[in-house]
Amino acid sequence: LAKTTQPISMDSYEGQEVNITCSHNNIATNDYITWYQQFPSQGPRFIIQGYKTKVTNEVASLFIPADRKSSTLSLPRVSLSDTAVYYCLVANTGRRALTFGSGTRLQVQP
Amino acid sequence: ETGVTQTPRHLVMGMTNKKSLKCEQHLGHNAMYWYKQSAKKPLELMFVYSLEERVENNSVPSRFSPECPNSSHLFLHLHTLQPEDSALYLCASSQDSRAIYNEQFFGPGTRLTVL
């Protein structure tokens, strides 16, 4: 299983861009990279998913370099409501395995 | 509201009790999952259920027993639990378990405390 490593916590201010990087050195060819957001007392919520290069949706961008050994979630212009834990997930469909990271606790200050 | 509901939201039980957690999804999905989230630990996938099969994490103790009577309902039967089993138990669903990386929709979880 691909092990993932993320920073434990990050601090930011409203209006700033936040980049959270996840390392997954043992990622397999058929692994996809997914990011989830979790608020206290709630289940995780899907943010974005990618396989390689760059993916963008209405809330975030995901950057994946050519070697795919890391990925970076980019949150543009964060607000207080973006304070949450962000999880990097590497999913292997072949073995029906999932590996969640330990999560990055993002604190956005006014 | 994610379309996945879980009951009860909180449960306190003794080590000799037998209880069940219930999950229901209203999204028409074909796959359902049980996760365990302990304090300061990553989410741990316990079981995967789809129309075709059940996949389980071999490290899950036998005191946890899943049941999936149909594609919309999922249960987790608990018996003779240990205090270290206290955690948040999350249910999720997705369109197709064969593409396990697909977006999963999580319920709010059941906070379980074993005394």
Side-chain angles (χ1 to χ4, degrees):
Chain A
L1 295 179
K3 181 181 177 181
T4 59
T5 305
Q6 304 174 232
I8 295 174
S9 64
M10 295 182 69
D11 292 311
S12 183
Y13 292 94
E14 282 191 293
Q16 288 188 333
E17 178 184 76
V18 172
N19 296 309
I20 306 174
T21 297
C22 178
S23 297
H24 26 78
N25 291 321
N26 298 325
I27 190 167
T29 303
N30 56 347
D31 280 338
Y32 281 72
I33 301 157
T34 310
W35 285 80
Y36 283 82
Q37 175 192 57
Q38 187 176 25
F39 298 111
S41 301
Q42 294 185 25
R45 184 175 69 98
F46 175 92
I47 301 175
I48 197 167
Q49 182 183 83
Y51 183 79
K52 61 180 179 180
T53 63
K54 176 183 175 181
V55 180
T56 298
N57 62 22
E58 63 275 10
V59 297
S61 294
L62 179 59
F63 299 91
I64 305 171
D67 65 6
R68 304 200 328 123
K69 292 186 177 182
S70 66
S71 59
T72 298
L73 174 71
S74 181
L75 304 173
R77 298 179 298 279
V78 295
S79 64
L80 296 177
S81 62
D82 292 317
T83 294
V85 179
Y86 293 82
Y87 291 97
C88 168
L89 166 64
V90 176
N92 183 320
T93 65
R95 288 185 287 178
R96 302 290 189 95
L98 289 175
T99 305
F100 271 86
S102 298
T104 298
R105 187 172 301 277
L106 173 65
Q107 180 69 50
V108 180
Q109 314 240 7
Chain B
E1 178 60 48
T2 63
V4 180
T5 58
Q6 292 186 242
T7 54
R9 293 294 308 276
H10 301 272
L11 178 63
V12 179
M13 59 186 289
M15 289 190 286
T16 59
N17 292 156
K18 290 184 180 180
K19 296 288 184 182
S20 296
L21 309 183
K22 179 182 176 181
C23 175
E24 184 174 358
Q25 59 98 356
H26 311 274
L27 301 168
H29 288 165
N30 293 322
M32 298 186 76
Y33 311 80
W34 277 118
Y35 289 85
K36 176 183 178 181
Q37 187 171 34
S38 303
K40 300 181 180 179
K41 286 187 177 181
L43 267 76
E44 175 189 359
L45 178 63
M46 302 175 72
F47 301 102
V48 180
Y49 263 99
S50 71
L51 291 176
E52 298 82 27
E53 63 181 329
R54 177 178 104 184
V55 178
E56 58 186 271
N57 182 336
N58 291 330
S59 68
V60 176
S62 59
R63 55 186 182 267
F64 294 92
S65 175
E67 178 189 0
C68 190
N70 54 61
S71 60
S72 299
H73 296 85
L74 185 64
F75 295 89
L76 187 62
H77 303 300
L78 318 171
H79 64 97
T80 59
L81 294 192
Q82 304 297 311
E84 60 265 28
D85 296 322
S86 298
L88 181 68
Y89 288 85
L90 291 159
C91 173
S93 72
S94 69
Q95 183 62 45
D96 185 353
S97 70
R98 289 170 296 182
I100 200 170
Y101 52 84
N102 279 352
E103 178 179 358
Q104 295 188 20
F105 294 78
F106 284 81
T110 294
R111 175 69 61 184
L112 173 67
T113 303
V114 182
L115 301 176

